[in-house]
Amino acid sequence: MSHLSIDSLRSLSDAHPKPSHLRFQYGTAGFRTLGSTLDSVLFRVGVIAALRSKKLDGLTVGVMVTASHNPEHDNGVKIVDPRGEMLEGSWESHATTLSNAPTTDDFLEAVDALIRTSKIDVSKPARVVYARDTRPSGITLVAALEDGLSALGAEARNAGVTTTPILHYLVKAINTKGTPDSYGDDSEEGYFHKLGTAFKSLVGGRPPLEPLLIDCANGVGALAASSLAEYLGSSLPLVLENTSISTPGVLNHACGADYVKTMQRLPPSLADRLKPGQRACSLDGDADRLMYYYLDERGTFHMLDGDKIAALVAAFIVDLVKSAGLENDIKVGVVQTAYANGASTRYLFERLPVKCVATGVKHLHHAAEHYNIGVYFEANGHGTVLFSQSTQSKLAQYQPSTPAQSTALTHLINLIQLINQTVGDALSDVLLVETVLAHKSYTGEEWDSLYVDLPNRLVKVVVGDRNAFRTENAERRLVSPPGLQAKIDELVRRYDGGRSFVRPSGTEDVVRVYAEAVVRSQADGASSFSLPAYCN
Ligand code: 16G
Ligand code: MG
């Protein structure tokens, strides 16, 4: 560790002691727990992010301080790799190890071990860009992070209060700056300019869109959506609701994408705001998830979730590829998880290849990279579209032979600019959905009628040890506890079109039970079976 100042690392580490009674884990969404317990974790994440950057020859690594859709008192942190993607798996375990070292001495030893085993050249520069959401605890947590970064002498850039997807964008933009693969200007303005310009080209010349109501979950999405509204101007009027980012206690409270998805209902605050037929959507607390919905003429609520978005977008892209005359050269595929509604899987499967993977953005993202154009969405509203490098080059070089081919090609090229390919991005996804609706002249109701959702229920069950639950086949079957899968199979057989699976949550100490059936009461019945006593 000759190039590191051990003394400064030691004294700063002493200032951020690990609470002795807590164990931390870098899970699917990074570290996430009560904000008041995360000080030592943030300090250590600063150190880890700097080491990650050194390991990658000084490429810029991102750090996002957020707990997404969780309650306001929670907070969390995740590290973003240089291409704007999730942290590589092996480093998730390093992060867990380092965050749990009981004392400063143990921590220094763990840092030393990581440097040796990962062969990190500590003389390399470290560059880190970081941001936080609107949670009050974020201010002191960022200060702890900055201590960790300065302990390693990292070049640190504070991106302020912004959304998770904008931070991912910045990481990629910084690392591609001045190269032929430049992702855009490395600033918030660069992001809004890129998305706004692409959107205006895509909907140009079409009838103006009706205003879209956006529930900002009283979070950081309110800031970003209001900037976006300025860039869009009259091309898409936005009506922003739940924008109270400084009122204590209201973040994600009875609003936001997760509320809508889990409760399957309109946020009460929108009850007198939303007119029948009007399109509306909810962002989550860090604006990487999106739920659309509308009220029909009778005032009944209809939800358009991640599966409906995937269906809308995938079908549109397939059509464009065909119209461009490229269907033999560019293969479009979709990635979902077991939570995808069976009706959506069937709809998609009739049109293009569909793959099911384990829950968690990184699994979907990696699977989507195997297609020329990979569309991935979780039912909960997180998703995006990936255009492979070779597909992007193919589109850039392609010579269309008719005006119709040329139009479709231009649309595809604009979509590459419109879509945040680093990670699911609620605002970029809003523009994507609105583009398709404008092109198809669909109302919410027409979009909704692409297929009819099978009734479903998702419940959580507290068990003695969720690690006793192990799954296979993209989480669709249990291999342990022994005998439980057979019991589920037996139950599912009693219901028409029944499907059910049980998996341990990656973010909470529970197992989740999903059930769907053709008839509502049967889906409810299938999800309410009790787990055998030995599971508790
Ligand atoms: C995290 C994941 C999300 C997943 C959810 C499942 C990321 C960035 N986020 O929020 O993709 O759907 O966890 O939670 O990967 P669960 O394991 O508790 O069901
Ligand atoms: Mg989120």
Side-chain angles (χ1 to χ4, degrees):
M1 279 210 268
S2 56
H3 287 79
L4 297 182
S5 158
I6 299 300
D7 291 345
S8 103
L9 185 53
R10 177 182 295 281
S11 63
L12 282 165
S13 171
D14 281 342
H16 300 281
K18 176 187 175 290
S20 54
H21 59 294
L22 295 177
R23 189 182 151 75
F24 301 106
Q25 191 180 349
Y26 195 103
T28 17
F31 291 106
R32 194 174 293 179
T33 180
L34 267 182
S36 56
T37 65
L38 278 167
D39 181 79
S40 64
V41 170
L42 267 287
F43 170 75
R44 293 173 183 198
V45 164
V47 172
I48 297 160
L51 290 173
R52 177 81 182 139
S53 173
K54 283 176 187 287
K55 169 72 193 167
L56 300 171
D57 264 350
L59 286 176
T60 296
V61 164
V63 176
M64 182 69 202
V65 180
T66 180
S68 184
H69 55 280
N70 286 30
E72 187 168 306
H73 57 247
D74 279 359
N75 215 325
V77 60
K78 54 187 168 191
I79 300 176
V80 179
D81 261 355
R83 291 194 306 152
E85 293 165 9
M86 301 287 170
L87 180 65
E88 186 191 287
S90 62
W91 277 69
E92 292 186 359
S93 340
H94 300 328
T96 299
T97 306
L98 263 64
S99 69
N100 286 304
T103 64
T104 288
D105 280 338
D106 299 322
F107 175 62
L108 293 180
E109 225 168 85
V111 167
D112 193 39
L114 175 61
I115 290 170
R116 277 186 287 105
T117 54
S118 301
K119 301 192 174 56
I120 299 170
D121 178 352
V122 289
S123 68
K124 289 276 164 74
R127 298 190 180 90
V128 177
V129 57
Y130 57 93
R132 65 175 175 93
D133 68 15
T134 54
R135 287 178 162 75
S137 60
I139 298 168
T140 49
L141 292 179
V142 160
L145 173 76
E146 285 166 340
D147 276 356
L149 295 171
S150 79
L152 281 234
E155 215 179 279
R157 171 169 161 186
N158 185 351
V161 177
T162 197
T163 71
T164 296
I166 291 180
L167 191 267
H168 284 252
Y169 166 91
L170 287 174
V171 171
K172 184 158 182 169
I174 292 169
N175 287 312
T176 55
K177 198 171 179 161
T179 73
D181 297 330
S182 169
Y183 198 57
D185 188 61
D186 60 330
S187 63
E188 277 205 5
E189 296 72 40
Y191 166 89
F192 291 118
H193 176 76
K194 180 178 175 182
L195 269 58
T197 310
F199 181 72
K200 286 178 192 165
S201 314
L202 278 158
V203 300
R206 285 171 198 273
L209 289 156
E210 292 291 312
L212 170 70
L213 191 151
I214 304 186
D215 156 24
C216 301
N218 295 313
V220 67
L223 299 173
S226 107
S227 303
L228 182 64
E230 280 175 34
Y231 279 83
L232 295 177
S234 60
S235 64
L236 175 61
L238 302 180
V239 180
L240 306 185
E241 299 287 348
N242 294 326
T243 56
S244 307
I245 56 169
S246 46
T247 311
V250 297
L251 174 67
N252 297 322
H253 183 70
C255 61
D258 192 58
Y259 175 88
V260 171
K261 179 65 180 167
T262 16
M263 307 301 285
Q264 309 200 4
R265 75 157 84 111
L266 186 71
S269 49
L270 301 188
D272 56 356
R273 290 283 204 273
L274 191 61
K275 296 190 287 288
Q278 188 182 5
R279 302 174 327 291
C281 61
S282 288
L283 319 177
D284 73 336
D286 63 339
D288 65 353
R289 287 194 197 178
L290 179 66
M291 281 289 138
Y292 261 76
Y293 41 88
Y294 67 96
L295 302 175
D296 65 20
E297 289 308 318
R298 289 184 303 178
T300 307
F301 172 78
H302 296 268
M303 184 169 67
L304 297 149
D305 65 0
D307 299 337
K308 279 266 153 84
I309 298 175
L312 180 78
V313 166
F316 180 65
I317 293 179
V318 166
D319 284 352
L320 283 180
V321 168
K322 259 190 211 144
S323 309
L326 282 164
E327 71 264 44
N328 294 325
D329 303 285
I330 295 179
K331 295 290 170 218
V332 187
V334 177
V335 185
Q336 304 185 304
T337 72
Y339 290 114
N341 193 280
S344 81
T345 309
R346 177 193 284 182
Y347 174 88
L348 287 162
F349 194 68
E350 284 164 3
R351 287 160 180 80
L352 67 175
V354 182
K355 191 167 167 41
C356 178
V357 299
T359 303
V361 172
K362 63 178 180 225
H363 301 295
L364 289 114
H365 195 94
H366 289 146
E369 283 177 326
H370 290 115
Y371 296 114
N372 298 142
I373 302 179
V375 178
Y376 76 82
F377 273 90
E378 289 190 295
N380 65 25
H382 187 113
T384 188
V385 182
L386 305 181
F387 293 75
S388 75
Q389 209 50 54
S390 68
T391 302
Q392 296 195 29
S393 320
K394 206 171 270 173
L395 290 171
Q397 284 153 21
Y398 181 60
Q399 298 293 332
S401 40
T402 65
Q405 287 192 351
S406 166
T407 308
L409 177 68
T410 308
H411 290 333
L412 283 167
I413 289 171
N414 278 320
L415 284 181
I416 294 173
Q417 301 301 313
L418 182 81
I419 296 168
N420 187 343
Q421 297 186 48
T422 60
V423 76
D425 179 336
L427 292 177
S428 164
D429 289 341
V430 160
L431 299 182
L432 178 57
V433 166
E434 294 294 318
T435 296
V436 186
L437 297 181
H439 277 247
K440 299 266 182 197
S441 307
Y442 278 167
T443 59
E445 193 161 6
E446 285 163 316
W447 169 16
D448 197 18
S449 66
L450 290 179
Y451 62 83
V452 179
D453 270 323
L454 293 173
N456 59 87
R457 275 286 294 277
L458 175 60
V459 295
K460 50 181 169 185
V461 181
V462 178
V463 292
D465 177 16
R466 75 177 145 139
N467 295 319
F469 290 74
R470 286 201 304 277
T471 60
E472 63 177 3
N473 193 6
E475 304 181 322
R476 287 172 291 189
R477 295 187 64 80
L478 280 174
V479 288
S480 109
L484 188 52
Q485 186 60 47
K487 287 203 162 58
I488 297 172
D489 292 343
E490 185 193 316
L491 264 167
V492 165
R493 267 197 297 276
R494 297 190 208 158
Y495 298 102
D496 302 330
R499 182 170 74 90
S500 179
F501 64 92
V502 175
R503 62 173 275 278
S505 158
T507 62
E508 284 182 86
D509 200 7
V510 296
V511 297
R512 300 199 195 281
V513 180
Y514 178 88
E516 74 184 21
V518 173
V519 183
R520 167 94 262 162
S521 59
Q522 295 196 348
D524 291 347
S527 67
S528 63
F529 70 84
S530 51
L531 293 169
Y534 61 79
C535 296
N536 288 296

